[in-house]
Amino acid sequence: MRIGLIGTGRIGTFHAEVLSRHPAVGSLLVADADPERAAAVATRTGATAVTVDAMFGGGGLLDAMVICSATAAHAPLIARAARAGLPAFCEKPIALDLPGTLGALAEVEAAGSILQLGFMRRFDAGYAEARAAVREGRLGRLHTVRATTSDPAPPPAAYLPLSGGLYRDCLVHDFDILRWVTGREVREVYATGSDAGPAMFREAGDVDTAAVLLTLDDGTLATATATRCNGAGYDVRMELAGELDQLAVGLDDRTPLTSAEPDGPDAPPKPWPGFLERFAPAYEAELDAFLRVVRGELANPCDGREALHALRIAEACEVSRRERRPVAMTEIPGG
């Protein structure tokens, strides 16, 4: 297969390395707004560095495209790939707002093309096991779900105004995986946040820590919390409590958590440092799935509408935080 990859930053470089060694990929083209960065990744992976325009040159140059560019370029590139008849994999989000997201989805649907979104947690073994446990009834009636995403350190200050905020950039993963694991839809949210940490969050109009109470359509209560300031390490977990049993995702010997009990476990000697290390197998699995989708061997495991659902929940959280009230999902357009 001939694959084009646009965007050679941290995640783009990781994806280029995965694709370069995948047995189904015969050639890999890479492009970036910074040509020198694209050239460096091409040298490192054995790919060929080209311009973005060259990738859309037609003539059957590519079989599919992987989009890892800056967020502002996602929707235009998705639309361009759709018009060119190219199946596309795109890192989340499609766009930082609902109009941009809906516009890109309309292009994909009009072209009848493929769009797979990069919600990698769907390909993590722990989350997959939790989904199976819920669907098979092993936990009994699910009554409580607790999800958390904690980054070990804040991102660069320049990134914050471009990120869409903590709900859209970070918690959106928790919103997606909550729907995927439970099979339920969110009915209502109540969100709050704190900007008591570094001043750059206040200057960007963002929060460094957030908490959300979500009511699902079957009455299950879920909480989702996130912070950019978790010095102990990268901590992503989900706990599911039912009438028969409880299950935890992300609880292992690298979870940055220390027990206060006298006989409890100590701090892990090597806590997870970041998302690429924690979810490396899941990132590889989602790209393998995309290549199988392109070859017609697999149904799309995470199409663009799934990203829309998660973004709508994030939008509801922003309204709730701003207006200090519960927000019903029926208030958010695009449903």
Side-chain angles (χ1 to χ4, degrees):
M1 298 178 71
R2 299 157 298 180
I3 307 298
L5 181 143
I6 300 176
T8 53
R10 181 167 52 163
I11 190 62
T13 298
F14 182 92
H15 284 334
E17 292 172 344
V18 170
L19 291 166
S20 70
R21 61 177 181 261
H22 196 286
V25 177
S27 64
L28 177 65
L29 305 182
V30 298
D32 194 279
D34 180 348
E36 291 185 2
R37 188 165 69 175
V41 171
T43 300
R44 180 173 170 178
T45 61
T48 301
V50 298
T51 65
V52 172
D53 286 340
M55 286 199 184
F56 292 99
L61 180 65
L62 295 176
D63 295 307
M65 180 166 290
V66 174
I67 300 169
C68 311
S69 61
T71 296
H74 286 186
L77 288 172
I78 288 169
R80 196 171 178 183
R83 292 194 293 268
L86 285 173
F89 172 93
C90 184
E91 279 300 321
K92 66 85 188 167
I94 294 174
L96 291 178
D97 59 16
L98 288 172
T101 299
L102 291 168
L105 289 177
E107 292 271 10
V108 171
E109 290 167 6
S113 61
I114 293 169
L115 173 63
Q116 181 180 325
L117 262 290
F119 282 108
M120 77 291 187
R121 295 186 195 181
R122 294 182 176 218
F123 299 87
D124 176 77
Y127 284 107
E129 172 61 19
R131 185 178 195 261
V134 171
R135 303 303 177 87
E136 294 167 10
R138 283 185 262 151
L139 305 183
R141 182 186 68 84
L142 197 63
H143 53 75
T144 307
V145 181
R146 294 175 286 270
T148 188
T149 295
S150 300
D151 289 334
Y159 173 74
L160 293 179
L162 309 175
S163 71
L166 192 59
Y167 300 104
R168 298 186 189 94
D169 180 53
C170 185
L171 276 165
V172 72
H173 279 289
D174 297 276
F175 302 151
D176 175 71
I177 206 65
L178 176 64
R179 295 180 59 251
W180 189 76
V181 167
T182 65
R184 312 304 309 190
E185 297 296 341
V186 174
R187 188 175 68 206
E188 182 183 84
V189 308
Y190 185 81
T192 189
S194 169
D195 60 4
M200 63 181 182
F201 290 96
R202 293 185 291 279
E203 293 163 1
D206 196 6
V207 294
D208 59 77
T209 303
V212 186
L213 172 63
L214 308 102
T215 303
L216 307 189
D217 58 10
D218 64 346
T220 300
L221 297 181
T223 58
T225 61
T227 185
R228 301 285 199 185
C229 306
N230 196 58
Y234 183 71
D235 188 11
V236 171
R237 282 176 287 127
M238 173 180 272
E239 300 170 5
L240 301 108
E243 291 182 337
L244 297 180
D245 205 354
Q246 293 191 100
L247 190 65
V249 179
L251 185 61
D252 58 24
D253 60 3
R254 299 189 68 181
T255 304
L257 194 65
T258 303
S259 174
E261 299 299 329
D263 298 323
D266 295 328
K270 192 178 179 182
W272 293 110
F275 64 90
L276 279 180
E277 295 83 3
R278 166 67 177 84
F279 287 109
Y283 279 118
E284 294 199 30
E286 70 177 358
L287 284 180
D288 179 71
F290 174 62
L291 298 178
R292 292 175 61 199
V293 169
V294 174
R295 296 197 302 265
E297 300 170 0
L298 184 72
N300 192 338
C302 188
D303 66 22
R305 288 284 162 183
E306 298 298 292
L308 174 62
H309 289 310
L311 177 61
R312 290 182 65 246
I313 298 169
E315 291 287 328
C317 289
E318 288 288 3
V319 174
S320 178
R321 179 175 75 92
R322 184 172 61 248
E323 299 183 4
R324 293 180 169 271
R325 66 175 179 88
V327 174
M329 289 306 302
T330 53
E331 299 180 48
I332 307 301

